[in-house]
Amino acid sequence: MARALQQGSKQQLKVAYVVLPSVLSVSGLVCILVDAVGMGVGMLVGAVTFPFVMVWSLRRIAKRQLTHLCVPTVLRMTDDGYEYRTDQTTTTMRWSLFGRVVTGPEFWLFFVNRQCVAFLPRRAFNSEQQAEFDRFLASRQNPGLT
């Protein structure tokens, strides 16, 4: 589950992961060129450390969430959606809710807008069921959102 959260977060934050260090780098170089060396060096250091800090903070967040996710679970899937049930909660989600589905080697990641809101582990299904579910999702996927 930790890997699913990490993969979902990477997909969700892909732009920030690339854009922010790039902006900090360019801004740092501009500051150095206009003799604001201290600020420029600070921005360059921020550009280098940002990816490491981001990964560290995502791991901390995931660790806190895992205590709620790593419990015995019953999953019931239908043509309309799926139900995720534990002793503490029951969540029902319709397939139409998801604007994008990312199929990876370990998980299906489900997105609403740009946020990963759900995942299913592929290992919970045999290869025939995985192929059937991939076809099922492909038939419902909005081609404009992939």
Side-chain angles (χ1 to χ4, degrees):
M1 288 200 182
R3 286 192 310 275
L5 288 173
Q6 184 179 19
Q7 290 174 18
S9 296
K10 279 185 182 179
Q11 290 282 327
Q12 183 174 322
L13 300 172
K14 194 183 296 186
V15 173
Y17 195 75
V18 172
V19 171
L20 189 58
S22 300
V23 168
L24 286 171
S25 296
V26 170
S27 299
L29 291 173
V30 169
C31 286
I32 289 172
L33 290 174
V34 297
D35 287 333
V37 177
M39 184 177 283
V41 169
M43 288 184 177
L44 291 173
V45 168
V48 170
T49 59
F50 173 77
F52 299 107
V53 171
M54 187 170 156
V55 168
W56 173 78
S57 64
L58 287 175
R59 284 186 181 155
R60 283 192 66 210
I61 291 167
K63 189 182 267 189
R64 278 187 258 141
Q65 291 178 350
L66 285 176
T67 59
H68 302 290
L69 295 173
C70 292
V71 294
T73 302
V74 174
L75 182 65
R76 194 176 125 246
M77 298 172 68
T78 67
D79 285 342
D80 295 327
Y82 76 92
E83 182 179 272
Y84 174 93
R85 188 180 312 149
T86 69
D87 287 342
Q88 301 293 322
T89 64
T90 298
T91 302
T92 302
M93 300 184 97
R94 297 209 176 273
W95 300 121
S96 60
L97 171 72
F98 306 117
R100 183 169 68 114
V101 177
V102 174
T103 302
E106 294 181 273
F107 305 98
W108 289 283
L109 303 172
F110 300 97
F111 290 80
V112 173
N113 298 321
R114 294 182 180 209
Q115 184 175 0
C116 183
V117 295
F119 65 90
L120 292 175
R122 292 181 71 86
R123 71 173 186 259
F125 304 88
N126 65 36
S127 58
E128 182 180 303
Q129 291 169 326
Q130 288 178 19
E132 181 180 349
F133 191 55
D134 284 335
R135 286 190 301 274
F136 174 82
L137 291 173
S139 71
R140 284 164 172 65
Q141 191 72 19
N142 182 345
L145 297 173
T146 56

